[in-house]
Amino acid sequence: MGQAGSGAAGDKTPTSLVPTSTQLRRAELQSKWWALQANGTASTPLCLQTYGAQYAALSERCCGQHRKEHQRCLRNGKLDPLDMSKWYPVCGESFELENSCAIAVLKQVDKRCSSQLENAASALSGAADQGDPKLKQPLDALGRCMAQLAGEKGLKVEYDAVQAKSRYEASKRLLSR
């Protein structure tokens, strides 16, 4: 689903995760932070360090059932996860559901951590480089906000499962041509 750090193999829960550029693009997010992540200004290593563990926990909590189903499908079919043309017709529905859920998670983060995202974006834009000490406080605050969200008891994300299934069916038809 996302760009994962260690622990992403098989059915294991990723220990660190950031959203993919496709998820960021599809989510139509408001914060300037996401554009910085998508264009590489906020590098993947910086994002993983800042909120990778928190985002992985949040994603697993909200979307883990789809990730597990997708991984199980790949494993049971002995399909290469890098060969999308082979696995998508068989395992694509859980993949699309997982991505739809991830986009809903991102929208919640964008809404609920907006001030932290904007502060981090401003700090990064004004920083000499990604090792600038001025980044520590805003990046730590962003990580804390995601951790709070991941730990929130009543958190629910709503996503359009019907649309995800329609995307799967349409893409599957294209691949079968």
Side-chain angles (χ1 to χ4, degrees):
M1 175 182 88
Q3 297 175 10
S6 63
D11 226 12
K12 294 179 183 169
T13 302
T15 57
S16 195
L17 186 72
V18 295
T20 66
S21 57
T22 300
Q23 291 165 347
L24 293 172
R25 187 179 61 254
R26 284 187 187 169
E28 299 175 2
L29 303 166
Q30 301 302 309
S31 171
K32 293 177 184 120
W33 175 264
W34 304 117
L36 294 174
Q37 181 179 328
N39 73 21
T41 302
S43 67
T44 300
L46 178 68
C47 295
L48 285 167
Q49 181 180 2
T50 300
Y51 56 80
Q54 298 90 328
Y55 183 75
L58 180 58
S59 178
E60 185 64 21
R61 180 171 166 214
C62 298
C63 311
Q65 73 276 17
H66 302 304
R67 183 194 58 77
K68 287 175 187 158
E69 177 56 35
H70 179 67
Q71 294 301 317
R72 193 172 10 263
C73 182
L74 291 173
R75 191 175 57 250
N76 290 347
K78 296 182 178 150
L79 299 165
D80 180 357
L82 299 178
D83 190 352
M84 191 174 194
S85 66
K86 295 278 193 279
W87 65 254
Y88 191 88
V90 181
C91 305
E93 185 172 332
S94 55
F95 172 79
E96 292 296 350
L97 288 166
E98 181 182 13
N99 277 291
S100 185
C101 181
I103 288 166
V105 167
L106 281 170
K107 288 180 178 184
Q108 281 294 312
V109 171
D110 194 53
K111 179 180 171 186
R112 307 271 295 279
C113 299
S114 62
S115 65
Q116 293 88 345
L117 286 161
E118 291 310 312
N119 290 341
S122 293
L124 183 58
S125 295
D129 59 39
Q130 292 190 3
D132 191 325
K134 294 178 196 164
L135 291 173
K136 183 170 177 25
Q137 192 278 330
L139 295 180
D140 287 350
L142 177 53
R144 283 192 306 274
C145 183
M146 284 203 198
Q148 279 183 316
L149 205 50
E152 193 174 294
K153 294 220 187 284
L155 178 68
K156 286 199 181 239
V157 295
E158 294 182 17
Y159 57 96
D160 192 343
V162 172
Q163 181 186 34
K165 290 176 183 183
S166 294
R167 179 186 298 274
Y168 163 64
E169 290 298 331
S171 296
K172 185 169 88 168
R173 280 192 300 277
L174 283 173
L175 282 173
S176 66
R177 289 182 182 176

